[in-house]
Amino acid sequence: MYSTLLTSLEDSILTITVNRPDKLNALNQQVMRDIDGVMDEVYSNKEIRSVIITGAGEKSFVAGADISEFVGLTSPQGLSLAKNGQDIFFKIENSPKPVIAAVNGFALGGGCELAMACHFRIASENAKFGQPEVTLGLIPGYGGTQRLTMLIGKGKAIELLLTGSMIDANTALQYRLVSYVVPQAELLQKARSILEVINSKPAHVITRCITAANAAFTGIKGYEVELFGFGECFSTEDMKEGTSAFLEKRKPVFKGQ
Ligand code: COA
């Protein structure tokens, strides 16, 4: 169905693998169209509770936007390329279902931006992160200047943007760009085990948490989003069940309502 992605749905977790290993999974326009399409499916398919995005092979998550497609573009075409990429990555960031990046190697340029658009990141020990666009005479265009700054702070972000240098997985952990570093063989299992915990919670509460946390970074009034979301929870069966279960010292049985 998607010529550049592999997908598999198991236990309500959709694993999306960017599959151009000969080009280190670089994001050409077909990959971007496929990611756009699969995210529409994530939004609409009730069987999908959560998502892992990873890259094919053991060397690269995604080594950036496909540089060969930049050749000969005019300035308006460059802008429209970035706009399209930003919109697709907003779709990931604003997904009502959690999306984790399992970073299995190089996450450079658009690859780092893809990982940062996900809700959080787990890296294998060989992962490397960076925004090397400056080396190409460019700035990041798929949200990298914004999300890197939000995630690791202005000083470190600007240093990485201006030098174009890469950081290894343990440095990424120290910068809080990733939540965990694990051996490559354990990467997907680690992601799955976290998502199994998340999938056991009420789906609409998960969505509200994502929406409220995102609002802290979008200029929308995050505290108000939190306020109304919190209030709305009180009209749900799951909130009644969760609080009753705690008070009755038993495990809650959520129905997603
Ligand atoms: N766009 C297009 N093709 C890419 C690519 C990208 N972002 N990244 C890697 N490739 C291709 C290479 O051109 C090469 O193709 P070829 O075998 O047809 O020549 C193939 O993937 C393997 O890459 P190679 O450079 O030979 O691997 P390496 O191990 O020597 O180096 C990297 C790995 C990641 C350091 C290097 O590929 C690189 O710097 N890539 C570009 C990173 C970048 O600038 N990304 C930001 C883009 S906005």
Side-chain angles (χ1 to χ4, degrees):
M1 191 171 165
Y2 303 106
S3 63
T4 66
L5 306 177
L6 303 172
T7 56
S8 76
L9 181 61
E10 209 181 312
D11 300 329
S12 307
I13 300 171
L14 181 73
T15 303
I16 301 169
T17 306
V18 180
N19 188 33
R20 292 185 75 209
D22 55 323
K23 296 290 178 192
L24 303 185
N25 305 320
L27 302 173
N28 63 11
Q29 286 309 296
Q30 186 58 47
V31 181
M32 295 302 279
R33 275 192 291 278
D34 285 348
I35 292 176
D36 195 27
V38 79
M39 285 312 300
D40 286 339
E41 197 183 329
V42 168
Y43 275 56
S44 62
N45 184 344
K46 289 192 168 58
E47 286 173 30
I48 301 171
R49 292 284 306 264
S50 55
V51 179
I52 299 169
I53 299 183
T54 193
E58 296 189 344
K59 184 171 173 181
S60 183
F61 173 70
V62 165
D66 192 318
I67 299 167
S68 67
E69 292 186 342
F70 291 174
V71 178
L73 293 190
T74 62
S75 179
Q77 286 169 329
L79 186 148
S80 121
L81 184 87
K83 173 81 173 80
N84 183 53
Q86 285 192 1
D87 287 347
I88 293 168
F89 286 7
F90 281 136
K91 212 180 257 189
I92 296 173
E93 183 169 60
N94 295 319
S95 163
K97 303 169 185 177
V99 184
I100 297 187
V103 180
N104 57 306
F106 290 114
L108 302 176
C112 189
E113 291 170 303
L114 173 63
M116 293 192 296
C118 295
H119 295 127
F120 57 95
R121 288 143 291 285
I122 301 169
S124 59
E125 287 163 339
N126 65 322
K128 291 215 160 43
F129 296 81
Q131 297 288 163
E133 287 87 345
V134 66
T135 315
L136 303 167
L138 277 171
I139 69 167
Y142 294 174
T145 60
Q146 304 306 291
R147 293 196 181 97
L148 191 64
T149 310
M150 288 171 206
L151 286 165
I152 70 171
K154 187 174 165 190
K156 283 293 177 198
I158 291 188
E159 182 186 338
L160 288 184
L161 293 169
L162 303 195
T163 59
S165 50
M166 289 186 220
I167 55 170
D168 63 18
N170 281 319
T171 308
L173 183 65
Q174 192 195 326
Y175 287 4
R176 303 185 186 184
L177 183 57
V178 303
S179 304
Y180 304 93
V181 177
V182 296
Q184 186 154 52
E186 294 167 25
L187 181 66
L188 289 180
Q189 190 43 46
K190 178 71 182 173
R192 294 184 68 81
S193 68
I194 297 172
L195 288 177
E196 278 160 16
V197 173
I198 294 173
N199 287 355
S200 72
K201 317 292 183 200
H204 64 93
V205 178
I206 297 300
T207 302
R208 287 177 207 281
C209 286
I210 293 171
T211 308
N214 278 346
F217 296 99
T218 52
I220 301 172
K221 291 178 179 155
Y223 286 99
E224 278 183 26
V225 174
E226 184 184 279
L227 205 60
F228 289 111
F230 186 80
E232 281 165 15
C233 287
F234 283 76
S235 67
T236 68
E237 291 302 315
D238 287 326
M239 186 270 178
K240 286 175 193 128
E241 169 63 10
T243 47
S244 306
F246 176 80
L247 295 171
E248 292 161 15
K249 301 193 187 305
R250 60 176 175 83
K251 278 199 152 192
V253 182
F254 292 122
K255 295 189 179 140
Q257 292 161 0

